[in-house]
Amino acid sequence: MIVVSAQLTDWHETSARQAIALTEYFLAHFPVDASRVYAAGYSAGGETMSLAVSMRPDLYAAYLHGASRWDGKYAPIAENSVAVYIFMAEHDEYYGSETAWTAYNNLHDAYEEAGWDEKQIDGVLQIQTPDDGWFADRGITGNYHGGGNVVFGEEVILHWLLSHSKEENRS
């Protein structure tokens, strides 16, 4: 596994294009299974990566969208069978969990419009908006937006993400 982390130039298309270029560079220069390329973005990085993944959905098998607002388009995600896991604290102080539900509902609609049935959608689209107790169980009280970065250590979520490939997403 190769883990690559881009640094933001902005929260818009400049950084999204840089993230895409970084992905393309690694695909061209390293022995990478192109059907198993994953993306993750958290907070501002989530805004950027939602743009990047929707601009070049052909590059990514799955995307973990953490504690962020969705800035990308929805239809290209469904049309290219990209799996998406959305994670947002129920009481996220910065974005609010409503933004996560809006993204989920818009993605769900895009999958339906692309001809996916409910079982197929459930296999590629997930949302988790844990309550304060979930965070307290992990020693986090208050600052749920910043504390939500624990998502990257949640084995169940990471296994879900890594279980996807471009070939298997539509089955």
Side-chain angles (χ1 to χ4, degrees), residues 98-150:
E98 301 82 27
T99 59
W101 282 105
T102 297
Y104 175 86
N105 290 328
N106 288 334
L107 285 164
H108 190 280
D109 291 348
Y111 285 111
E112 280 185 335
E113 289 170 19
W116 293 60
D117 65 34
E118 207 55 45
K119 182 180 177 190
Q120 290 172 313
I121 295 170
D122 287 345
V124 296
L125 180 60
Q126 297 289 308
I127 187 169
Q128 184 178 0
T129 56
D131 63 14
D132 300 353
W134 186 92
F135 286 94
D137 290 346
R138 287 154 179 80
I140 301 165
T141 55
N143 188 21
Y144 299 113
H145 179 74
N149 67 16
V150 298

Side-chain angles (χ1 to χ4, degrees), residues 28-52:
H29 292 91
F30 293 90
V32 175
D33 179 350
S35 73
R36 293 191 173 276
V37 175
Y38 308 100
Y42 190 85
S43 194
E47 291 186 39
T48 297
M49 286 311 298
S50 70
L51 282 168

Side-chain angles (χ1 to χ4, degrees), residues 56-110:
R56 284 297 307 279
D58 58 302
L59 292 176
Y60 305 98
Y63 169 54
L64 173 56
H65 185 72
S68 190
R69 178 183 72 214
W70 189 278
D71 285 349
K73 292 182 170 73
Y74 302 102
I77 301 300
E79 292 163 0
N80 286 272
S81 305
V82 179
V84 178
Y85 196 106
I86 300 170
F87 179 91
M88 176 81 77
E90 180 181 45
H91 295 119
D92 183 278
E93 308 87 353
Y94 191 76
Y95 291 103
S97 60
E98 301 82 27
T99 59
W101 282 105
T102 297
Y104 175 86
N105 290 328
N106 288 334
L107 285 164
H108 190 280
D109 291 348

